Amino acid sequence: MKKEQYGFEFDVYDSIDDLSKEDAFLLQQAREITRTAYAPYSQFYVGAVARLNNGEIVKGTNQENASFPVSICAERSLLSSTAALFPSANIETMAISYHNQNGKSSEPVSPCGMCRQALLEHEKRYDHPIKLILSGTEGKVYVIERSSMLLPLSFTGDDLKK
Ligand code: THU
């Protein structure tokens, strides 16, 4: 028997002001788009904004449903739009923000498990890492170099061929 370990490093910034101009722009857009999320049941409003390798900016928000499992997260809503609008472009960077019914948040949250799986599929499909920028509407910012770092021992299309 032997033990294996998994871990990864990510960057923590004190505020949006410490990001590059491009990353700060994306995060600002993500913070703003939370206002258009449709989240009447959870009142947890999530915004995701991506920059593609063709320079396009694509946005997504969570869309809830009275039949709760029908709801979709902001990240997967964004991934679907991107694949439909620009099927041959890949996402370089995605910023994700959120707030609750108070309209504010100060801690980063990271994508749910289902979204991590969907992000991984996009990385594999385009053979390109997606950089994640995570932050509330204010405060510190996490930058993770590739979204697949969030999903160790993952299941992918390669496993279907084993
Ligand atoms: N949600 C997202 O949009 N992204 C996440 O990564 C976590 C959760 C949404 C789903 C649901 O509409 C609400 O937040 C509460 O779970």
Side-chain angles (χ1 to χ4, degrees), residues 89-105:
N90 68 271
I91 295 172
E92 298 273 359
T93 306
M94 185 188 296
I96 303 161
S97 187
Y98 73 99
H99 63 82
N100 59 20
Q101 69 266 44
N102 301 325
K104 285 211 305 193
S105 57

Side-chain angles (χ1 to χ4, degrees), residues 4 18 23 27 32 41 48 50 54 58 67 69 85 104 107 139 159:
E4 304 234 348
D18 299 331
D23 287 356
L27 177 54
E32 281 169 24
Y41 305 107
N54 63 4
V58 184
S67 174
L85 293 168
K104 285 211 305 193
E107 288 292 323
D159 294 309

Side-chain angles (χ1 to χ4, degrees), residues 3 7-8 21 24 30 39-40 50 57 60 63 67 95 102 117 121 132:
K3 299 243 187 245
F8 69 95
K21 206 169 134 226
I57 301 288
Q63 300 294 320
S67 174
N102 301 325
Q117 183 74 26
E121 187 80 22
L132 295 180

